[in-house]
Amino acid sequence: MDEKPVVYVTRRIPEPGIELLEERCKIVMWEEEVPPSKGHIMKKLTETEAFGLLCNVSDTIDADVLASSPNLKVVSTFSVGYDHIDVEEAAQQDIMVGYTPGVLSETTADLTWALMSACARRVVESHEYVLDGKWKAWGPTTLLGHDLHNRTLGIIGIGSIGSAVARRSIGFGMDVVYSHPYRKNEQERELAEMGVDIEYVPQDELLQTSDFVSLHVPLKEETYDMIGSQEFKKMNNEGILINTSRGEIVDMDALDNALEDESIAAAALDVTNPEPLPSDHSILRHEPEKLVVTPHIGSASTPTRERMSVMSAENILAALEGKSLPNSVFDQIKEVS
Ligand code: DGY
């Protein structure tokens, strides 16, 4: 009989995390590409009397899921965001919650810049242009786009990803402004030491003055739909919106209208609402000159995803040894409150 405690893993994660877990746990894993339903997760947790649940941003971990296994002691999410987990309920049920902070900030900042450049310089459209056989000659006015250099970047939310995005602006000689629920003097000092001068401004001013607006806030009640029709009206009509945070931060209908009436020039989204975004969603009628969408790949580099797999396994193993989690959501909440 297998005495190892069971960990239910809702998607196959990179091997290093699996190997680490296998040393001490029995892994029961969902192997499909489409995530398991909430009902299926509950069934597996109940059936296996799992000790741990290793989940990700596709899963909704609510009170019912948390109550499914009498032995559930730890939920470890393969993500930095934990808006898909009812953390309060987990605390009530005495279940620890782990996450993977820090490790993916640089990788997500890389993608943010990739999207900014792709959108400003019409990279996706240019590729299609070549594929469609339209490249007949070099053209003085072909596929003209926007510059990035010497322009103004507005960062909404200056946590670790927002700061990593700000740092990358040096090479482009951009002015950087940020808004945040409060002024972050320490962050400003750290960035200044690295040669990045960022200025704290009210969000309305940021929207009015930035050529690029990049979103880096966590999803909470107060950030849901925080960029809607009023905000698009404030943006300049050459402005480009980048979202690599959570889809629900942007009101998608308002974005659709803003692209349609050209109150902004373009948007690049790595996250959408809904997610996944169906290929027949009406917003996708906008040409890539105006809209570029990637499928939530902010942290998707091999080394980062491997490191995330190890960190999420380490959270489970710490719980198994009766220790506090190396990356506990409860500690993070205490720190910010
Ligand atoms: C996260 O970690 O929260 C990302 O959205 C997925 O990597």
Side-chain angles (χ1 to χ4, degrees), residues 33-50:
E33 203 188 322
V34 174
S37 64
K38 175 180 151 184
H40 187 85
I41 298 176
M42 288 173 63
K43 181 169 167 268
K44 295 313 274 188
L45 289 174
T46 308
E47 244 172 52
T48 62
E49 299 192 352

Side-chain angles (χ1 to χ4, degrees), residues 57 78-81 104 245-246 296 299 305 308:
V57 292
F78 179 79
S79 63
V80 65
L104 48 80
S245 57
R246 284 290 182 267
H296 203 148
S299 63
R305 287 283 167 88
M308 287 166 71

